[in-house]
Amino acid sequence: MKIYRANILFTPTPDAFKILERGFVMVDSEGFVSGVFSELPQEYCSLPVDDFGDSLLIPAMNDLHVHAPQYRNQGMAMDLELLPWLKTYTFPEEAKYTDTGYAEMMYRCFVRDMVTHGTMRASVFATIHPEATKLLADIMNEVGMGGLIGLVGMDTDCPDNLRNSTSEAVDGTLCLLEHTKDMTLISSIVTPRFVPSCSVDMLTQLGRTALEYGLPVQSHLSENKGEIALVKRLFPDSSCYGAVYDRFGLFGQTPTLMAHCCYTDGKELQLMQKNNVFVVHCPTSNCNVGSGIAPIRKFLDAGLPVALGSDVAGGHHLSIFRVIQYAVQMSKLIYAQTDGRTPFLSLSEAFYLATKSGGSFFGKVGSFEPGYSFDALVIDDSYLSTLNSQLSPLVPELAEELTSPYTLQERLERYIYLGDDRQIVRRFCQGREVVL
Amino acid sequence: MKIYRANILFTPTPDAFKILERGFVMVDSEGFVSGVFSELPQEYCSLPVDDFGDSLLIPAMNDLHVHAPQYRNQGMAMDLELLPWLKTYTFPEEAKYTDTGYAEMMYRCFVRDMVTHGTMRASVFATIHPEATKLLADIMNEVGMGGLIGLVGMDTDCPDNLRNSTSEAVDGTLCLLEHTKDMTLISSIVTPRFVPSCSVDMLTQLGRTALEYGLPVQSHLSENKGEIALVKRLFPDSSCYGAVYDRFGLFGQTPTLMAHCCYTDGKELQLMQKNNVFVVHCPTSNCNVGSGIAPIRKFLDAGLPVALGSDVAGGHHLSIFRVIQYAVQMSKLIYAQTDGRTPFLSLSEAFYLATKSGGSFFGKVGSFEPGYSFDALVIDDSYLSTLNSQLSPLVPELAEELTSPYTLQERLERYIYLGDDRQIVRRFCQGREVVL
């Protein structure tokens, strides 16, 4: 049993933060929260407390869509169109992962950078290469973060050096499952790249594999109009893009993540509702790639589960805090473009997507309610919250006046909009400290 | 005469970066560039060279729209609507600047933070308070950055403690002009807050003052639809919002900055063209406040001068590098929403807006062509460019392979999308080093 003390903020529901000023959280020996208290109950008063002082203690971030082998391309060629960007940058980079030395080096950087920015769980696209993908699992496991890793299946309309056969994709996915079976927090996820890069045989076999082994599924859906038109040409009988995945058992038959959904509506939306398919909202990527703005309010109103994803390298940054910020901002643009008829996301709603909603894909993750995995970040925002460190050398006699002038929620918001990895001083995944 | 050596990147024109790998820039004793060279001419070879090694040397950032007294509110309540946000956060904060002690403390933080993030010139809204506004000028001058500072005029539909009379606004503007007359890089700018907060008398007298003293003008224009409708009700005879400023001599009769222009079109666009009025694009603010996306491509096609602004605290961050990023991103959303018919901004175009285009409001600023003020930043992006510092402890034998794998333009882009103040290691304004 461990007891931590700090300013605790989390979102049991999307509508508001639960805030405990200098509160306590108790974590059991398995790494799960056993209670959160404003005052420590009498029976625990003799136990040692790990006190984080005036820092903020919040659930860690969950990144539900990220391409590990695109790490090197972060923030690069963000002024190209999607297709030249894929052909010039993405595919040549992914092809390098046939070299396990290169893969190990880059995956170590990628994982360390994810953890640096506060992500403790991620659902990751790897490449078609089984050895490199196992290395990624090893590295994530070694660091102590949690995640689902997808060996990518792709056999259509792609470079020859990035093509695998159906059996290679299936075998690779199952090998990874076997490889990770003793890793507490890491497993394999079925990952067809997206409909246009998969043959019918690939989709069929991956769908069967998901069902047979009870594996989750991740892919891309309705990211841009050209892609949607292409899927319509490839599968003219399907009522919508999502229905293609559905036909192959890849759309909620097991827990399923669909990234983007910028243009999901009508039948596709109904099918996602019926099958409880997750929308993974990737607003930084949608801006960078020029896809459009996903109608998140509509999805929330429809009761769909929604998570956030960095989508590096379509997204330029691994920080899910930045993605929270863009999620609010994009919802404000929709608000403007619908003359105020579409309510924008509140901070607590966007935070909920990044924590409890996204975390639910991994089990009881993303909240500090009893029974939840203690995935947490300690944020020392003193630089941002008191201005003291800036002021003391300047106007010492006035600095005191401003000590902690912000509410705890304002401090968290300012951290999200103004802070960076410098302020994340401790990281926990399922109760265990993750050290850089 | 000083000679600096580094990897030099700047945009003499919007369409491409001029790049000199390990080039030289010569700066005269007045702080102006006298030449940029790939190889140092023979006659200078005996002079000492200040060598920045593998760092990037770029023009400094120019912030053409920022509210200094809203510094405390950065990144706060970004999920409120405009009016409650103004009433709950903005106005009460600005009212505090009647206290010169508070003003000095906050303005010192504000100026230091601007410089930290690489802004060497800014056009700033202060408040209605003459003493506090003079302090802001003193602090900017002391630090060594350049700028135009506006004592705000507002007498309509505003809180009593934020109302000045026409004569107070005019006198305050002229006092500031007098106060700054011996400051090389600081001056006064006529600053009606915006049409709805100014009486006809205020607009008339501020317009006359601008013309009589040849002072530049800054204000807000067509930021959101409600505001435009309000101006239409207040001035039903004016053909557009901009025509109201024009009628009072506040729209290009002297050099003029108009922030936002999210909905500028038709007659207003033509009037801006005719009068050569600057658009100040504030994309972070437009997202946060839910205003909409300004049609920058249309303005560029029309030949309007366009600059960038952080618009703190509507904008959440003082870094103009972030604003460059959002400018590209917002142009990509327009690209998506017009089905690819509106070309998005290239990185060089957005960088040009932040440097040479914005800088032109201050004279020959924002480029390294001969005759330009040496306003410059040295960016040590080794962490981002080589991955070495991350890799060496991890896979030393492979780290070498990746040394400088990025082109210089890719390195600059990655700095813009991934970097922060940590990588800005030297700052110059008109040849003089600005030290934090």
Side-chain angles (χ1 to χ4, degrees):
Chain A
M1 179 73 75
K2 287 201 172 164
I3 304 176
Y4 300 106
R5 184 170 197 188
N7 295 305
I8 298 168
L9 299 97
F10 62 110
T11 42
T13 57
D15 54 300
F17 284 95
K18 184 168 169 70
I19 300 175
L20 292 89
E21 190 177 343
R22 298 278 296 128
F24 300 86
V25 55
M26 297 187 57
V27 180
D28 68 23
S29 58
E30 303 297 307
F32 294 88
V33 174
S34 52
V36 186
F37 309 100
S38 294
E39 301 291 335
L40 202 59
Q42 191 61 41
E43 65 263 42
Y44 304 121
C45 282
S46 61
L47 295 176
V49 173
D50 199 349
D51 193 332
F52 301 130
D54 193 40
S55 290
L56 309 178
L57 179 68
I58 60 173
M61 297 292 107
N62 301 296
D63 187 346
L64 275 288
H65 186 72
V66 59
H67 294 266
Q70 295 177 23
Y71 177 68
R72 183 190 175 277
N73 290 350
Q74 260 189 307
M76 223 165 76
M78 301 273 70
D79 62 350
L80 279 190
E81 297 194 43
L82 179 61
L83 287 182
W85 184 76
L86 280 174
K87 288 190 178 158
T88 316
Y89 288 91
T90 309
F91 288 152
E93 181 62 19
E94 292 198 7
K96 294 183 195 167
Y97 283 71
T98 188
D99 174 349
T100 51
Y102 185 77
E104 180 182 352
M105 177 172 68
M106 295 308 286
Y107 281 157
R108 282 196 186 279
C109 291
F110 164 73
V111 170
R112 193 155 88 153
D113 213 0
M114 231 186 343
V115 167
T116 297
H117 289 97
T119 296
M120 291 294 120
R121 310 259 182 167
S123 190
V124 185
F125 277 59
T127 61
I128 62 162
H129 309 102
E131 291 311 309
T133 304
K134 280 190 259 181
L135 278 172
L136 176 58
D138 293 342
I139 294 165
M140 287 172 68
N141 183 55
E142 190 184 298
V143 165
M145 69 174 293
L148 292 161
I149 299 168
L151 180 122
V152 174
M154 52 195 290
D155 61 358
T156 304
D157 198 19
C158 54
D160 284 339
N161 58 358
L162 279 182
R163 190 188 305 273
N164 53 6
S165 67
T166 296
S167 63
E168 285 167 339
V170 170
D171 290 352
T173 301
L174 295 176
C175 274
L176 186 66
L177 183 64
E178 173 64 20
H179 184 75
T180 57
K181 70 176 191 302
D182 296 327
M183 301 179 186
T184 326
L185 303 176
I186 309 285
S187 191
S188 180
I189 182 167
V190 170
T191 305
R193 188 170 195 118
F194 73 145
V195 167
S197 56
C198 294
S199 66
V200 165
D201 186 53
M202 177 70 82
L203 293 168
T204 306
Q205 297 305 328
L206 288 179
R208 284 187 189 159
T209 305
L211 274 171
E212 186 176 343
Y213 292 86
L215 291 181
V217 171
Q218 63 181 351
S219 198
H220 300 88
L221 180 67
S222 298
E223 182 174 359
N224 72 54
K225 293 179 188 171
E227 171 205 12
I228 295 167
L230 174 59
V231 171
K232 187 75 200 160
R233 282 199 301 279
L234 294 169
F235 293 90
D237 298 339
S238 282
S239 62
C240 59
Y241 188 165
V244 180
Y245 290 117
D246 189 51
R247 164 198 310 200
F248 297 105
L250 292 162
F251 208 60
Q253 287 74 13
T254 61
T256 299
L257 299 169
M258 284 288 155
H260 304 306
C261 306
C262 295
Y263 298 96
T264 293
D265 204 349
K267 283 181 185 150
E268 187 162 283
L269 177 55
Q270 285 163 25
L271 196 54
M272 292 183 82
Q273 252 181 320
K274 178 166 155 264
N275 293 8
N276 204 36
V277 173
F278 265 76
V279 171
V280 187
H281 181 34
C282 305
T284 50
S285 171
N286 299 157
C287 286
N288 289 329
V289 182
S291 305
I293 311 176
I296 299 304
R297 174 61 63 203
K298 188 169 67 182
F299 300 148
L300 294 175
D301 286 349
L304 287 187
V306 178
L308 298 183
S310 70
D311 192 25
V312 160
H316 57 281
H317 207 289
L318 280 169
S319 168
I320 294 295
F321 293 107
R322 296 233 185 150
V323 178
I324 291 175
Q325 174 195 308
Y326 274 77
V328 174
Q329 290 172 331
M330 292 308 103
S331 78
K332 284 206 150 181
L333 288 181
I334 292 186
Y335 170 84
Q337 293 179 346
T338 59
D339 291 326
R341 287 188 305 275
T342 313
F344 48 76
L345 297 183
S346 68
L347 187 72
S348 65
E349 285 181 304
F351 190 84
Y352 177 87
L353 300 184
T355 54
K356 192 174 175 184
S357 185
S360 71
F361 204 75
F362 303 100
K364 291 190 108 176
V365 169
S367 183
F368 291 151
E369 294 155 86
Y372 273 75
S373 173
F374 186 65
D375 286 28
L377 305 175
V378 179
I379 311 283
D380 177 357
D381 65 329
S382 50
Y383 175 86
L384 294 167
S385 71
T386 66
L387 301 174
N388 261 346
S389 57
Q390 297 183 57
L391 287 167
S392 45
L394 301 170
V395 196
E397 70 278 13
L398 283 160
E400 218 168 282
E401 181 177 313
L402 261 197
T403 304
S404 284
Y406 298 102
T407 67
L408 291 175
Q409 183 171 331
E410 287 168 351
R411 283 172 55 185
L412 177 57
E413 184 172 16
R414 278 169 58 83
Y415 172 70
I416 290 169
Y417 280 83
L418 295 169
D420 53 49
D421 54 292
R422 281 172 277 200
Q423 289 90 42
I424 307 179
V425 293
R426 304 279 291 272
R427 298 161 177 84
F428 297 88
C429 186
Q430 203 157 303
R432 213 178 65 157
E433 182 148 13
V434 175
V435 181
L436 286 173
Chain B
M1 179 72 75
K2 288 202 170 160
I3 305 175
Y4 299 105
R5 184 169 198 190
N7 294 306
I8 299 169
L9 299 97
F10 62 110
T11 43
T13 56
D15 54 301
F17 284 95
K18 185 170 170 69
I19 299 176
L20 293 90
E21 190 177 343
R22 298 278 297 130
F24 299 86
V25 54
M26 299 188 56
V27 179
D28 69 23
S29 58
E30 302 297 307
F32 293 89
V33 174
S34 52
V36 187
F37 310 100
S38 294
E39 300 291 334
L40 202 59
Q42 192 60 41
E43 64 262 45
Y44 304 121
C45 282
S46 61
L47 295 176
V49 173
D50 199 348
D51 193 332
F52 300 131
D54 192 40
S55 291
L56 309 178
L57 179 68
I58 60 172
M61 298 291 107
N62 301 295
D63 187 344
L64 275 290
H65 187 72
V66 59
H67 294 267
Q70 295 177 24
Y71 177 68
R72 183 190 176 279
N73 290 351
Q74 260 188 306
M76 223 164 75
M78 301 272 72
D79 63 349
L80 279 190
E81 298 194 41
L82 179 60
L83 287 181
W85 183 76
L86 279 173
K87 287 191 178 157
T88 316
Y89 288 89
T90 309
F91 288 153
E93 181 61 20
E94 292 199 6
K96 293 183 195 167
Y97 283 72
T98 187
D99 173 349
T100 51
Y102 185 78
E104 181 182 350
M105 177 172 68
M106 295 307 286
Y107 281 157
R108 282 195 187 281
C109 292
F110 165 73
V111 170
R112 194 156 86 155
D113 214 0
M114 230 183 347
V115 167
T116 297
H117 288 97
T119 296
M120 291 294 121
R121 312 260 182 167
S123 189
V124 186
F125 278 58
T127 60
I128 61 163
H129 309 101
E131 290 312 309
T133 305
K134 280 191 261 182
L135 278 172
L136 176 58
D138 294 343
I139 294 164
M140 287 172 69
N141 183 56
E142 191 184 296
V143 164
M145 69 175 291
L148 292 162
I149 299 168
L151 180 123
V152 174
M154 52 194 290
D155 62 356
T156 304
D157 198 19
C158 53
D160 285 339
N161 58 359
L162 277 182
R163 190 188 303 273
N164 53 7
S165 66
T166 297
S167 63
E168 284 167 341
V170 170
D171 290 352
T173 302
L174 295 177
C175 274
L176 186 65
L177 183 64
E178 173 64 22
H179 185 76
T180 57
K181 71 176 190 301
D182 296 326
M183 300 178 186
T184 326
L185 302 177
I186 308 286
S187 191
S188 181
I189 182 167
V190 170
T191 306
R193 188 170 195 116
F194 74 146
V195 166
S197 57
C198 294
S199 66
V200 165
D201 186 53
M202 178 69 82
L203 293 168
T204 306
Q205 297 305 329
L206 288 179
R208 284 186 188 157
T209 304
L211 273 172
E212 186 176 342
Y213 292 86
L215 291 181
V217 171
Q218 64 181 350
S219 197
H220 299 88
L221 181 68
S222 299
E223 182 174 0
N224 72 54
K225 293 178 188 170
E227 170 206 11
I228 294 167
L230 174 59
V231 171
K232 186 78 201 160
R233 284 199 300 279
L234 295 170
F235 293 91
D237 299 339
S238 284
S239 61
C240 59
Y241 187 165
V244 181
Y245 290 118
D246 189 52
R247 168 200 306 200
F248 296 106
L250 293 161
F251 208 61
Q253 288 74 15
T254 60
T256 299
L257 299 169
M258 283 289 153
H260 303 306
C261 306
C262 296
Y263 297 96
T264 292
D265 204 348
K267 283 181 185 151
E268 188 162 281
L269 177 55
Q270 286 164 24
L271 195 55
M272 292 183 83
Q273 252 181 321
K274 177 166 156 262
N275 294 7
N276 204 36
V277 173
F278 265 77
V279 171
V280 187
H281 182 34
C282 305
T284 50
S285 172
N286 298 157
C287 285
N288 289 330
V289 182
S291 304
I293 311 176
I296 299 305
R297 174 62 64 203
K298 188 167 69 182
F299 300 149
L300 294 176
D301 286 347
L304 286 187
V306 178
L308 298 182
S310 69
D311 193 25
V312 161
H316 57 281
H317 208 289
L318 280 170
S319 168
I320 294 295
F321 292 107
R322 298 234 184 149
V323 178
I324 290 174
Q325 173 195 310
Y326 275 77
V328 174
Q329 290 171 330
M330 292 307 104
S331 77
K332 284 207 150 181
L333 288 181
I334 291 186
Y335 169 84
Q337 293 180 345
T338 59
D339 291 325
R341 287 189 304 274
T342 312
F344 48 76
L345 298 183
S346 67
L347 187 72
S348 65
E349 285 182 303
F351 190 84
Y352 178 86
L353 300 184
T355 55
K356 191 173 175 183
S357 185
S360 70
F361 204 76
F362 303 102
K364 291 190 108 175
V365 168
S367 183
F368 292 152
E369 294 155 87
Y372 272 75
S373 173
F374 186 65
D375 286 28
L377 305 175
V378 179
I379 311 284
D380 177 357
D381 65 329
S382 49
Y383 176 85
L384 294 167
S385 70
T386 66
L387 301 174
N388 261 347
S389 58
Q390 295 182 59
L391 287 168
S392 45
L394 301 169
V395 196
E397 69 280 13
L398 283 159
E400 215 169 284
E401 180 179 312
L402 260 197
T403 302
S404 283
Y406 298 102
T407 68
L408 290 174
Q409 183 170 332
E410 286 169 351
R411 282 173 56 184
L412 177 58
E413 184 172 18
R414 279 170 58 85
Y415 172 69
I416 291 169
Y417 280 82
L418 295 169
D420 54 48
D421 54 291
R422 281 172 277 200
Q423 289 90 41
I424 307 179
V425 293
R426 304 278 291 271
R427 298 159 176 85
F428 297 89
C429 186
Q430 203 157 304
R432 213 179 65 157
E433 183 149 12
V434 175
V435 182
L436 286 173

